[in-house]
Amino acid sequence: MKKKSIVQLGAVALTVLSVGVGTPAVAASPTGTAPAVASGAKPGPQDASCNMWKTGGPPWGGAAYCSGMAWADTFQVKLTCINHRGQTFTVLGPKRHTNETSSATCSSDPNVGVLTVGTVQSA
């Protein structure tokens, strides 16, 4: 029977405790590179679900409500507006967190409309 060092036993106990509380277990790399996630979780931002809509009358604008994002991630509504000359421009709403609404108005001019409503997300 081989003797295990206290460090090895501590790493095993830490891994077992991590798995027990729902935190991904992390395996240490002997080469000193970044640890690998052993739980199978994929790195990157969480998938967000966003609902977007235009206002029903002047002043024309739009809004977006997003959910399912990590708490630290933000989003903002992005409007593509068009004036009576056919010129387009972009208006961004305020940055918001998950389960919040970001809204913006193209212009107070009733002759300026909303061409598209989208979102800009940042991690």
Side-chain angles (χ1 to χ4, degrees):
M1 182 170 167
K2 292 184 179 180
K3 292 183 180 179
K4 297 210 182 256
S5 72
I6 293 175
V7 173
Q8 289 174 323
L9 293 175
V12 170
L14 180 59
T15 302
V16 170
L17 286 175
S18 294
V19 173
V21 296
T23 307
V26 177
S29 171
T31 61
T33 59
V37 177
S39 70
K42 296 178 183 175
Q46 292 183 352
D47 292 330
S49 172
C50 297
N51 294 321
M52 297 160 278
W53 62 93
K54 298 178 186 179
T55 57
W60 299 103
Y65 174 87
C66 294
S67 60
M69 298 170 56
W71 184 86
D73 294 346
T74 60
F75 74 96
Q76 58 192 136
V77 69
K78 178 183 178 182
L79 304 179
T80 302
C81 306
I82 187 166
N83 66 17
H84 66 282
R85 293 186 181 116
Q87 298 166 324
T88 61
F89 58 96
T90 302
V91 175
L92 295 173
K95 288 186 177 182
R96 298 287 187 229
H97 292 281
T98 191
N99 299 326
E100 295 181 346
T101 301
S102 175
S103 59
T105 301
C106 284
S107 172
S108 59
D109 182 350
N111 296 317
V112 175
V114 178
L115 201 56
T116 62
V117 179
T119 59
V120 178
Q121 297 180 16
S122 57

